[in-house]
């Protein structure tokens, strides 16, 4: 059997001994390719149970799809015909990159469930990951800052931001711009992100002066000349608004990073903005 399927007995023995798999790797079911693979393995009904695992719990009624569910997989790292603990002889031999085990962990009607399956599947193909500029801060009296603020926030949303800031007026806006189209690395959007779209937009107001003296002293200790600390009062992650034609050209050649739905949502509520100080000679 060895010589027929795998060449020489030495080659068969090499393959038999070499088969290895990775540790568990987490995958996000909010990517459609992973969801489709999970449905293929576990069935649609079980995936639908996992989709809204937290929505029955207090304070989690607005949980997004698959929040609270964990999907993991193991992938072949060295080729072979066997895996440790698995008596199956695979023909053709397992190849690096193949998924050989998957696990779904979620809270079902009867409590927590962990479902494990041995499989032999190829890793899904994913769309390109979008890239965006690093966060850029602009004053609202700057033409680009005003353009982005008016594009992303309606007058009603600006008024809501003022109320949230106890009457303070937003003076800055932070935002990023898509320069390479595609999807975020951990979810899929319809349609994909396009060049020129604004993402992760924050309205900023100067930090309130009404605070303990020791806190004020601490802030002033690390602020350099020309820096002001601001508070984020409004956030739009993917407003699906794009700069006018040609507006993205000013960002060409800028440093970029991958887009993620978790990229800035969990960042601290405060940021330091650098203002150029112009004084007399």
């Amino acid at each position: 059997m060895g010589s027929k399927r795998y060449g020489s007995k030495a080659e068969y023995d090499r393959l038999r001994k070499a088969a290895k798999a990775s540790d568990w790797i987490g995958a996000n079911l909010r990517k459609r390719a992973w969801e489709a693979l999970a449905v293929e393995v576990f069935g649609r009904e079980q995936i639908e149970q996992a989709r809204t695992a937290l929505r029955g719990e207090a304070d989690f009624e607005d949980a997004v799809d698959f929040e609270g569910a964990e999907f993991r997989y193991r992938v072949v790292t060295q080729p072979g015909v066997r895996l440790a603990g698995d008596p199956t002889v695979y023909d053709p031999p397992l190849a690096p990159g193949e998924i050989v085990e998957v696990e779904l962990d979620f809270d079902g009607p009867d409590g927590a469930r962990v479902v494990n399956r041995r499989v032999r599947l190829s890793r899904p193909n994913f769309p390109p990951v979008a890239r965006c500029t690093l966060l850029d801060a602009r004053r609202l009296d700057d033409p680009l800052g005003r353009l982005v603020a008016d594009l992303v926030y309606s007058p009603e949303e600006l008024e809501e931001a003022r109320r949230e800031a106890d009457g303070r007026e937003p003076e800055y806006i932070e935002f990023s711009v898509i320069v390479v189209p595609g999807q975020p690395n951990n979810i899929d959007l319809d349609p994909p992100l396009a060049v020129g779209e604004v993402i992760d937009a924050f309205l900023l107001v100067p930090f309130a002066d009404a605070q303990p003296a020791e806190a004020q002293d601490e802030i002033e200790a690390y602020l350099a000349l020309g820096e002001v600390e601001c508070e984020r009062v409004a956030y739009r992650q993917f407003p699906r608004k794009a700069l006018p034609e040609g507006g993205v050209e000013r960002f060409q050649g800028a440093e970029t990073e991958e887009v993620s739905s978790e990229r800035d949502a969990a960042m601290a509520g405060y940021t330091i903005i650098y203002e150029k100080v112009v004084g007399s000679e």
Side-chain angles (χ1 to χ4, degrees):
M1 178 183 73
S3 59
K4 276 187 176 181
R5 295 184 179 179
Y6 307 107
S8 68
K9 183 178 186 301
E11 174 67 4
Y12 173 77
D13 289 340
R14 186 189 69 79
L15 289 169
R16 178 174 58 83
K17 294 174 182 178
K20 290 186 179 180
S22 69
D23 291 333
W24 288 104
I25 302 170
N28 199 317
L29 289 175
R30 296 180 72 192
K31 296 292 287 185
R32 282 189 286 264
W34 282 122
E35 181 186 0
L37 184 145
V39 168
E40 180 180 351
V41 176
F42 299 108
R44 172 61 64 182
E45 181 178 353
Q46 202 153 73
I47 298 306
E48 287 302 318
Q49 290 178 17
R51 183 185 293 277
T52 54
L54 296 182
R55 289 189 179 172
E57 299 182 19
D59 301 324
F60 287 97
E61 291 81 4
D62 295 327
V64 299
D65 284 356
F66 298 114
E67 197 170 324
E70 292 187 36
F71 179 75
R72 294 176 287 268
Y73 69 97
R74 297 176 70 217
V75 65
V76 176
T77 57
Q78 293 185 19
V81 297
R82 292 184 185 274
L83 285 169
D86 183 357
T88 307
V89 176
Y90 292 92
D91 181 25
L94 296 165
E98 284 190 84
I99 296 173
V100 289
E101 194 171 7
V102 292
E103 187 171 87
L104 183 65
D105 184 353
F106 65 100
D107 290 330
D110 303 322
R113 299 190 62 186
V114 178
V115 187
N116 184 281
R117 297 279 190 276
R118 290 191 182 275
V119 296
R120 188 175 187 184
L121 296 169
S122 299
R123 193 173 186 274
N125 291 321
F126 296 97
V129 176
R131 296 192 68 87
C132 65
T133 60
L134 306 184
L135 276 175
D136 186 20
R138 301 284 178 130
R139 291 187 62 90
L140 291 185
D141 56 12
D142 174 88
L144 179 57
R146 186 76 261 168
L147 171 65
V148 173
D150 291 342
L151 186 70
V152 175
Y153 295 94
S154 67
E156 294 76 19
E157 290 171 330
L158 287 170
E159 183 58 36
E160 180 185 347
R162 294 186 188 98
R163 289 195 298 270
E164 186 177 337
D166 299 323
R168 286 170 289 159
E169 189 73 20
E171 295 186 15
Y172 304 88
I173 185 168
E174 273 182 312
F175 62 94
S176 291
V177 177
I178 299 297
V179 292
V180 177
Q183 293 283 13
N185 66 7
N186 59 345
I187 63 170
D188 284 329
L189 301 175
D190 289 316
L193 294 164
V195 172
E197 281 196 59
V198 175
I199 66 167
D200 292 323
F202 298 86
L203 285 176
L204 309 169
V205 297
F207 196 74
D209 292 331
Q211 54 188 313
E214 59 271 16
Q216 184 67 37
D217 291 342
E218 183 180 341
I219 290 172
E220 291 177 353
Y222 65 75
L223 289 180
L225 182 64
E227 289 181 342
V228 57
E229 186 161 18
C230 290
E231 180 180 356
R232 288 170 169 158
V233 294
Y235 175 48
R236 299 294 180 270
Q237 186 175 49
F238 299 118
R240 307 318 305 261
K241 302 289 186 179
L243 295 173
E245 187 174 353
V248 74
E249 292 177 359
R250 69 188 72 192
F251 297 101
Q252 295 299 331
E255 187 178 352
T256 66
E257 61 184 338
E258 288 189 349
V259 176
S260 167
S261 68
E262 300 171 354
R263 174 174 171 254
D264 290 300
M267 288 179 64
Y270 305 102
T271 188
I272 295 175
I273 303 300
Y274 177 76
E275 290 185 303
K276 185 176 182 181
V277 177
V278 180
S280 57
E281 293 293 329

